[in-house]
Amino acid sequence: MSEPPPRPAPPTPHAPPLAETAAPPAQAAVGAGAVRGCATPTHDLAIIGGGPAGLGAALEARRLGLRVVVLEREAEAGGIPRHCGHPPFGLREFGLPLTGPAYARRLVAATRAAGAEIRTHTAVVAIEPGPRLVLATPHGVDAVDARRVLIATGVRETTRAGRLIGGTKPGGVMNTATLQGLVYLNRQRPFVRPIIVGTELVAFSAILTLRHAGIRPLAMVEPTAHVTARWPSALLPRLLGIPLWRGTELVAIEGTERVTGVTLRSASGTRHVATDGVVLTGGFRPEATLVRQSHLTLDPATGGPEIDQFGRTCDPAIFAAGNMLHPVETAGWCHREGRAIAARIAESLAGALPPPEPALRLRPADGVLYAVPQRIVPDARTTGAIQLRAAAPVRGRVVVRTSASVRGPAVDTVPERRILMPLATIPPDAAGEAEIAIEPDGRHR
């Protein structure tokens, strides 16, 4: 996802490849049919996922002198930005407004120049204690043993089935990521007059993608009364003459081989609209299949792994970063978070992180959909923040209910918008369990 223009920052210095680690690591061959690998870690850090968070972590880890391998299941690294052919990407990282593919190429080039190994066509199929990663590659099953692992597998948009939309199942229904792949990678025009469902930031990215392909959307449809993305995103459809129907829900899709129409429901009733396509945007869910199948603790609120403020999961050798923790943030945010978590991983390898227990465990309560991190370990450092989302539009104040109530920031927000509560507001010796909630101030939003 792209983001609003921030102030440009100077290019990040990259550490030169370390002579003793520049060569690809050797792996011990074992008998036919067995998983290749070795008990002695061949890397300091193995990163699952070559998107902005994973590549940001690889860059920082190399700057700190770690031996790094990035495991990417696609043919190219770079993540979702590879499919987003519009700017602005990379203002903070490179000081230039780039298209998504240009941003992804620069990230990959910088990571390789820093000395990190990137293995494409390499899917991680299991995370095991050790840690050990079991891989599926074009050459068969393999394995990587590393001193630390970072999971950065990102998110997926909710599918039609996940949204429980009725009607028939014709062609011409897709998520934004599929649309962008068809338009920017395959040079296709999948429809002529589709509707766009949702108003998260990615929905406006879908408008730009359609415009690139010469496709004019029929309308945007938003089930609530509010546009989810921050202002001035809502100006884009108005400037382009695209109707934005708030308080309108898509209840059925019609057609046999192709979409021929949809049924919409609003306060004024139900109506049929002729269209030849549907773009389902947002509704992001973490890509956490590996976590669910592993020994790691899953947070039911986010759908991603449970972590502490260092990005550390319940296995102290395995960390996580990026959108799988907090669906969903911009590419630049994930890149910076990846770098920050990589610095914590380097501290972990040096034995400089506090033990994972005791910890204060946060449980989302009144008005809070989720909070990350879920565990806060006592530590002298007070930087960083708890990130949370509201469950519904609300005006009020964030509170953490420990033995005493800790007051956080005042909020005037809607779901899907980031709320930050500084970690410094939490008592340094807090432990046990606590609720994090939003107490309304009585004003309607």
Side-chain angles (χ1 to χ4, degrees), residues 425-441:
T425 59
I426 304 297
D429 57 348
E433 295 195 357
E435 290 184 339
I436 184 166
I438 299 176
E439 294 182 346
D441 61 12

PDB file of all heavy atoms in Angstrom, residues 425-441:
ATOM      1  N   THR A 425       3.925   4.991  29.028  1.00  0.00           N
ATOM      2  CA  THR A 425       2.817   5.246  29.953  1.00  0.00           C
ATOM      3  C   THR A 425       2.509   4.031  30.828  1.00  0.00           C
ATOM      4  O   THR A 425       1.775   4.150  31.810  1.00  0.00           O
ATOM      5  CB  THR A 425       1.542   5.633  29.169  1.00  0.00           C
ATOM      6  OG1 THR A 425       1.207   4.568  28.280  1.00  0.00           O
ATOM      7  CG2 THR A 425       1.759   6.912  28.389  1.00  0.00           C
ATOM      8  N   ILE A 426       3.051   2.870  30.474  1.00  0.00           N
ATOM      9  CA  ILE A 426       2.796   1.651  31.257  1.00  0.00           C
ATOM     10  C   ILE A 426       3.796   1.581  32.415  1.00  0.00           C
ATOM     11  O   ILE A 426       5.001   1.740  32.204  1.00  0.00           O
ATOM     12  CB  ILE A 426       2.947   0.399  30.366  1.00  0.00           C
ATOM     13  CG1 ILE A 426       2.011   0.494  29.153  1.00  0.00           C
ATOM     14  CG2 ILE A 426       2.663  -0.862  31.181  1.00  0.00           C
ATOM     15  CD1 ILE A 426       0.555   0.530  29.489  1.00  0.00           C
ATOM     16  N   PRO A 427       3.360   1.345  33.637  1.00  0.00           N
ATOM     17  CA  PRO A 427       4.299   1.220  34.760  1.00  0.00           C
ATOM     18  C   PRO A 427       5.348   0.156  34.465  1.00  0.00           C
ATOM     19  O   PRO A 427       5.020  -0.947  34.012  1.00  0.00           O
ATOM     20  CB  PRO A 427       3.391   0.801  35.929  1.00  0.00           C
ATOM     21  CG  PRO A 427       2.042   1.321  35.565  1.00  0.00           C
ATOM     22  CD  PRO A 427       1.956   1.218  34.069  1.00  0.00           C
ATOM     23  N   PRO A 428       6.644   0.471  34.680  1.00  0.00           N
ATOM     24  CA  PRO A 428       7.718  -0.455  34.273  1.00  0.00           C
ATOM     25  C   PRO A 428       7.679  -1.803  34.978  1.00  0.00           C
ATOM     26  O   PRO A 428       8.223  -2.776  34.471  1.00  0.00           O
ATOM     27  CB  PRO A 428       8.991   0.328  34.625  1.00  0.00           C
ATOM     28  CG  PRO A 428       8.565   1.343  35.635  1.00  0.00           C
ATOM     29  CD  PRO A 428       7.158   1.696  35.297  1.00  0.00           C
ATOM     30  N   ASP A 429       7.047  -1.870  36.155  1.00  0.00           N
ATOM     31  CA  ASP A 429       7.018  -3.139  36.886  1.00  0.00           C
ATOM     32  C   ASP A 429       5.679  -3.861  36.737  1.00  0.00           C
ATOM     33  O   ASP A 429       5.404  -4.824  37.460  1.00  0.00           O
ATOM     34  CB  ASP A 429       7.295  -2.890  38.366  1.00  0.00           C
ATOM     35  CG  ASP A 429       6.292  -1.904  38.971  1.00  0.00           C
ATOM     36  OD1 ASP A 429       5.552  -1.253  38.201  1.00  0.00           O
ATOM     37  OD2 ASP A 429       6.265  -1.780  40.211  1.00  0.00           O
ATOM     38  N   ALA A 430       4.827  -3.418  35.795  1.00  0.00           N
ATOM     39  CA  ALA A 430       3.504  -4.040  35.637  1.00  0.00           C
ATOM     40  C   ALA A 430       3.655  -5.468  35.140  1.00  0.00           C
ATOM     41  O   ALA A 430       4.474  -5.761  34.258  1.00  0.00           O
ATOM     42  CB  ALA A 430       2.656  -3.221  34.661  1.00  0.00           C
ATOM     43  N   ALA A 431       2.887  -6.370  35.692  1.00  0.00           N
ATOM     44  CA  ALA A 431       2.908  -7.776  35.271  1.00  0.00           C
ATOM     45  C   ALA A 431       1.512  -8.351  35.478  1.00  0.00           C
ATOM     46  O   ALA A 431       0.620  -7.698  36.015  1.00  0.00           O
ATOM     47  CB  ALA A 431       3.952  -8.557  36.063  1.00  0.00           C
ATOM     48  N   GLY A 432       1.324  -9.588  35.042  1.00  0.00           N
ATOM     49  CA  GLY A 432       0.013 -10.203  35.164  1.00  0.00           C
ATOM     50  C   GLY A 432      -0.828  -9.926  33.926  1.00  0.00           C
ATOM     51  O   GLY A 432      -0.315  -9.912  32.805  1.00  0.00           O
ATOM     52  N   GLU A 433      -2.124  -9.696  34.126  1.00  0.00           N
ATOM     53  CA  GLU A 433      -3.031  -9.444  33.006  1.00  0.00           C
ATOM     54  C   GLU A 433      -3.690  -8.085  33.162  1.00  0.00           C
ATOM     55  O   GLU A 433      -3.926  -7.624  34.285  1.00  0.00           O
ATOM     56  CB  GLU A 433      -4.087 -10.537  32.919  1.00  0.00           C
ATOM     57  CG  GLU A 433      -3.510 -11.912  32.587  1.00  0.00           C
ATOM     58  CD  GLU A 433      -4.584 -12.888  32.162  1.00  0.00           C
ATOM     59  OE1 GLU A 433      -5.767 -12.500  32.184  1.00  0.00           O
ATOM     60  OE2 GLU A 433      -4.240 -14.016  31.807  1.00  0.00           O
ATOM     61  N   ALA A 434      -3.984  -7.455  32.032  1.00  0.00           N
ATOM     62  CA  ALA A 434      -4.633  -6.148  32.054  1.00  0.00           C
ATOM     63  C   ALA A 434      -5.545  -6.029  30.842  1.00  0.00           C
ATOM     64  O   ALA A 434      -5.293  -6.634  29.794  1.00  0.00           O
ATOM     65  CB  ALA A 434      -3.594  -5.034  32.028  1.00  0.00           C
ATOM     66  N   GLU A 435      -6.602  -5.257  30.995  1.00  0.00           N
ATOM     67  CA  GLU A 435      -7.492  -4.937  29.880  1.00  0.00           C
ATOM     68  C   GLU A 435      -7.048  -3.624  29.251  1.00  0.00           C
ATOM     69  O   GLU A 435      -6.673  -2.695  29.958  1.00  0.00           O
ATOM     70  CB  GLU A 435      -8.933  -4.799  30.362  1.00  0.00           C
ATOM     71  CG  GLU A 435      -9.579  -6.101  30.792  1.00  0.00           C
ATOM     72  CD  GLU A 435     -11.037  -5.900  31.169  1.00  0.00           C
ATOM     73  OE1 GLU A 435     -11.429  -4.751  31.476  1.00  0.00           O
ATOM     74  OE2 GLU A 435     -11.776  -6.890  31.154  1.00  0.00           O
ATOM     75  N   ILE A 436      -7.121  -3.559  27.914  1.00  0.00           N
ATOM     76  CA  ILE A 436      -6.927  -2.296  27.221  1.00  0.00           C
ATOM     77  C   ILE A 436      -8.261  -1.970  26.551  1.00  0.00           C
ATOM     78  O   ILE A 436      -8.829  -2.805  25.838  1.00  0.00           O
ATOM     79  CB  ILE A 436      -5.747  -2.343  26.231  1.00  0.00           C
ATOM     80  CG1 ILE A 436      -5.533  -0.966  25.603  1.00  0.00           C
ATOM     81  CG2 ILE A 436      -5.912  -3.432  25.175  1.00  0.00           C
ATOM     82  CD1 ILE A 436      -4.193  -0.838  24.872  1.00  0.00           C
ATOM     83  N   ALA A 437      -8.769  -0.781  26.816  1.00  0.00           N
ATOM     84  CA  ALA A 437     -10.124  -0.435  26.379  1.00  0.00           C
ATOM     85  C   ALA A 437     -10.178   1.017  25.916  1.00  0.00           C
ATOM     86  O   ALA A 437      -9.223   1.777  26.090  1.00  0.00           O
ATOM     87  CB  ALA A 437     -11.107  -0.657  27.535  1.00  0.00           C
ATOM     88  N   ILE A 438     -11.295   1.377  25.286  1.00  0.00           N
ATOM     89  CA  ILE A 438     -11.569   2.775  24.942  1.00  0.00           C
ATOM     90  C   ILE A 438     -12.826   3.182  25.690  1.00  0.00           C
ATOM     91  O   ILE A 438     -13.896   2.584  25.495  1.00  0.00           O
ATOM     92  CB  ILE A 438     -11.763   2.978  23.427  1.00  0.00           C
ATOM     93  CG1 ILE A 438     -10.496   2.581  22.674  1.00  0.00           C
ATOM     94  CG2 ILE A 438     -12.134   4.429  23.131  1.00  0.00           C
ATOM     95  CD1 ILE A 438     -10.641   2.656  21.157  1.00  0.00           C
ATOM     96  N   GLU A 439     -12.688   4.179  26.569  1.00  0.00           N
ATOM     97  CA  GLU A 439     -13.835   4.657  27.340  1.00  0.00           C
ATOM     98  C   GLU A 439     -14.436   5.844  26.605  1.00  0.00           C
ATOM     99  O   GLU A 439     -13.778   6.893  26.467  1.00  0.00           O
ATOM    100  CB  GLU A 439     -13.385   5.039  28.748  1.00  0.00           C
ATOM    101  CG  GLU A 439     -12.895   3.823  29.548  1.00  0.00           C
ATOM    102  CD  GLU A 439     -12.491   4.175  30.974  1.00  0.00           C
ATOM    103  OE1 GLU A 439     -12.343   5.391  31.255  1.00  0.00           O
ATOM    104  OE2 GLU A 439     -12.331   3.252  31.784  1.00  0.00           O
ATOM    105  N   PRO A 440     -15.668   5.714  26.092  1.00  0.00           N
ATOM    106  CA  PRO A 440     -16.294   6.810  25.327  1.00  0.00           C
ATOM    107  C   PRO A 440     -16.478   8.046  26.198  1.00  0.00           C
ATOM    108  O   PRO A 440     -16.686   7.950  27.408  1.00  0.00           O
ATOM    109  CB  PRO A 440     -17.638   6.216  24.908  1.00  0.00           C
ATOM    110  CG  PRO A 440     -17.501   4.742  25.051  1.00  0.00           C
ATOM    111  CD  PRO A 440     -16.529   4.526  26.175  1.00  0.00           C
ATOM    112  N   ASP A 441     -16.413   9.220  25.562  1.00  0.00           N
ATOM    113  CA  ASP A 441     -16.616  10.460  26.311  1.00  0.00           C
ATOM    114  C   ASP A 441     -18.048  10.982  26.197  1.00  0.00           C
ATOM    115  O   ASP A 441     -18.348  12.087  26.638  1.00  0.00           O
ATOM    116  CB  ASP A 441     -15.629  11.529  25.859  1.00  0.00           C
ATOM    117  CG  ASP A 441     -15.774  11.884  24.373  1.00  0.00           C
ATOM    118  OD1 ASP A 441     -16.781  11.466  23.749  1.00  0.00           O
ATOM    119  OD2 ASP A 441     -14.893  12.571  23.844  1.00  0.00           O
TER     120      ASP A 441
END
